[in-house]
Amino acid sequence: MQTPAKHVLWMMAAMVVSAAHAQTNYAPTQVIADIGSTTAIDRWQIQDSAKAQQSGADISSTGFSTEGWYPVSGRATVMAGLLENGTYKNDVFYSDNLRAVQVPDSSGSLFVTPWWYRAEFTLPKNLAGRHTLLRTNGMIASADVWINGHLVADHADVAGAYPVHEFDVTRWVHTGANILAMRVHPADPRMSLSMGWVDWNPTPPDNNMGPWRGVDIVQTGPVELSFPQVLSTLRLPDLARATLDVKVSAKNLDTVAHDATITGTVAGVPIQQTVHLAPGQTQVVSFSPKTTPALALDHPKIWWPVGMGEHPLYQLEMIAAVDGATSDRANATFGIRSVSSSLTKQGYRQFFINGKPVLIRGGGWAPDMFLRDDPARMEAEFSYVVNLGLNTIRSEGKLENQRFYDLADRNGILVLAGWECCDKWESAAKTGGAPWNAADMKVAEDSMASEARLLRNHPSVIGFYIGSDNAPPPPIAKMYVDTLRAEDWSLPIISAAADQGTAEAGPSGMKMAGPYDWIPPAYWYADKLGGAFGFDSEVSAGADIPRMEDVQRMLSPQEQEALWKYPEARQYHASADWSTFAVLTPFDKALAHRYGALTSLADYVAKAQLDNYDNVRAQFEAFNAHMDAAKPATGVIYWMLNNAWPSLHWHLYDYFMNPAGAYFGAKKANELVHIQYSYDSNGIVLVNHALDDVHGLQANIRVRNLDGSARYEKHLQNIDLAGNHTRQLATLPAIAGLSSAYFIELDLASSDGKPVSRNVYWLSTRSDALDWAHSNWYLTPVTQYADLTALQTLPAATSEVRATTRREGKDDVTTITLSVPASSKVVALFQHMSIRRGAHGDLALPIRWNDNDVTLWPGESITLTARYESQGTTVPVVEMSGWNVPAQSVTATATQGTDH
């Protein structure tokens, strides 16, 4: 299995292979022989229909020559498939190389004509009494489908990114080799209900055309089981009892009637029912405590979001038998939990899990730009979400496959799913937008039904946005809500991510008032626009600059120079060419005013890390501080969690999965038990996101001048902190004699002195001033910037680094002790640790730190730990750098008992 780091290296290597060395191996898909099995088509051969002009009947026939076709993986879009084959000599993620694909030469675009997908699959010998079904799991944009020379469905039947369609192809298949061919039609998110990228990144040249969620071959007997579902109803507030309602669809695929006996277990409870099915009949088979009293569970295991409890899962397993023989199988994983939402007095949505209010703290999800499927990378991304202390992912379109939701379930990460903005999905909601026709309505209805069936069993999923930037118009809103209810959707239905409503779903309880571009940290404490009150569905201060090594591997030398020298320059890796966000002017201007004139790329990147950390921390901390307020903050989604490609904008971790300032600012703010400073009140606030109360805490508060001298100190003991609450601990008084740039150092420890939370702020005696009256949808102008330029005058500091590494299962865990000697005269500001696999090796990525980007004064020390996948016997090397600390490297010596 490839690690994400390997994935990135493999991807880059693949893209420099010449077309002459394209893959030539092709193995047919071997269909699993078992009744009730589902086999994914794991390999295709693809070709442009301009080159393969034969009919679908010919192409789906045995013996058809595919010489010159491209072998690709089972879920590859056309562009992803071409990248797999090394079609492009240059890395399309570097500089503006992608332009050459987006704007082709005089020979024309590869992506304006349909593309053929052809696969061979082998069926088992004994097909008597069996049905073979073809299942398409979403098609961008649509496809005509043939098997063994026969047209199965045309592009009117197989259309849309999300609908799941199933066809009984038994009459056209046979034992041994069979041929499936699909003519996939070009995609355009403005014209079809597919997938668009708005201003997140450049448009993929192929608009993601292809079977992006894959195609399956299903083997079943005469009665098929589909859409197994478990709905749990949990008794509140004691959580001591839950009832389970189980449903499954049974369909008779034969031309004669059958009696089918459905048996199975749900949460260990046996269930059984026999139904009579006429030819072609579908019946929903239900089980409940009325039919099966044991489905009323005492003291069930309760699923909680991360930080609030464990995430136990239950299993449903079912078998349909006809005439004593197994006909089909169905299974599902589910959790027992309660989800509800209501509106606050101010009209904002508040979510409750198992009766407890939860502050939603999340980020917006982006898949790979070419929709490449990488299970190891996805798993690593979820490990980052947990490590960041977030509890939610929002998917604005780009809805993912089953694996994504399984990972969310296992990790306790809440999911807010929904449709996307700014293309066909919302065209009917806009003034002057193109209205939908009957075919569009059918695709949208099928999409909603398919997504409801995919999502409804997952305890991680807590709601669905039927609109994003705009609520759907009445007919579409009604269709969505009716479809969800028909699919037994029990979760909140949200009209839009903006402050809009629909008759069917009511007010959204959301706000989408910006910002999306740079504002100062104090902005988040305001009581207007994007400040920390209510539920902010997407919001951030815009630019998030990766660390130097990533800037250098994504930007050309000319782009690197423009990044720090020319703030008005458009950056291809900032946003789409046409977008407001393609320039980083507000961010660059703030950086120069607040931290000092930019002198080099290294200076720019270093100052950007400081700013990103500070601003991202402030965003999440402001929502923390106001979660108990009279005008409460109920949710915030950082825009965005990640990127679809290497980007200078909108992420908590970059495409290379190299944690930088934004990552560690978010991680600091989202500590489970946390101490923080409030910009609006000079208050020191404690936050407890866990449900359990904490007792006997002790806190140290220091305000330090630039020279390290303490201008204010306070020590507090025997502090109690209620679960799922905040506490105002102290208010800093006016302090005379502060240097123009100064520090607040906060330490929180348990009753026995063990560190709980440490937080350091760098502040200015001159405040940032916002021009609220001239705000727009993405930015509030600044009329005065804080003055942190004195940080540039800090003398060089001394730090000592010691490191060891031990093996834990498949991981290496490196422990670092970072100390500033008491004899040192100066603060060691913003010290960053990285780990390489050997002295000149690659960075160890992905990597999960307990803390990083830390600040220490003379006589202080801290212990940092990092966990990452072990590779070989190379001894890790720790690299330390800092704002005013000379870089150094140390070998992380192996501790006794490791495999190094």
Side-chain angles (χ1 to χ4, degrees), residues 523-647:
Y523 173 100
W524 302 110
Y525 287 85
D527 62 353
K528 51 179 73 72
L529 296 180
F533 62 92
F535 198 120
D536 253 323
S537 64
E538 51 180 67
V539 69
S540 77
D544 289 303
I545 306 301
R547 293 191 58 79
M548 178 66 86
E549 54 267 26
D550 294 342
V551 169
Q552 291 175 330
R553 62 173 164 172
M554 65 191 273
L555 302 183
S556 69
Q558 294 79 12
E559 290 165 330
Q560 294 173 36
E561 182 179 25
L563 185 61
W564 70 273
K565 273 189 178 180
Y566 308 114
E568 303 290 341
R570 301 186 78 78
Q571 283 283 351
Y572 192 57
H573 282 264
S575 188
D577 277 341
W578 53 266
S579 171
T580 299
F581 309 111
V583 296
L584 302 180
T585 311
F587 176 81
D588 291 354
K589 185 178 179 181
L591 215 58
H593 277 84
R594 298 176 95 244
Y595 290 99
L598 305 170
T599 60
S600 66
L601 179 63
D603 182 58
Y604 177 90
V605 172
K607 288 172 177 173
Q609 300 313 309
L610 214 61
D611 185 89
N612 287 161
Y613 182 105
D614 195 22
N615 215 317
V616 174
R617 174 179 60 180
Q619 177 175 336
F620 283 107
E621 285 187 339
F623 280 80
N624 286 346
H626 295 159
M627 62 186 274
D628 295 335
K631 189 179 179 181
T634 59
V636 59
I637 300 296
Y638 188 87
W639 202 248
M640 297 177 65
L641 172 68
N642 59 347
N643 291 132
W645 86 319
S647 178

Side-chain angles (χ1 to χ4, degrees), residues 160-201:
Y162 301 104
V164 176
H165 294 294
E166 199 169 80
F167 306 97
D168 191 338
V169 296
T170 306
R171 56 183 161 161
W172 296 314
V173 298
H174 47 257
T175 292
N178 295 265
I179 308 299
L180 166 64
M182 303 190 305
R183 181 167 58 196
V184 177
H185 292 269
D188 183 341
R190 298 166 300 178
M191 304 300 292
S192 61
L193 294 169
S194 55
M195 193 175 295
W197 294 91
V198 199
D199 52 3
W200 299 11
N201 43 259

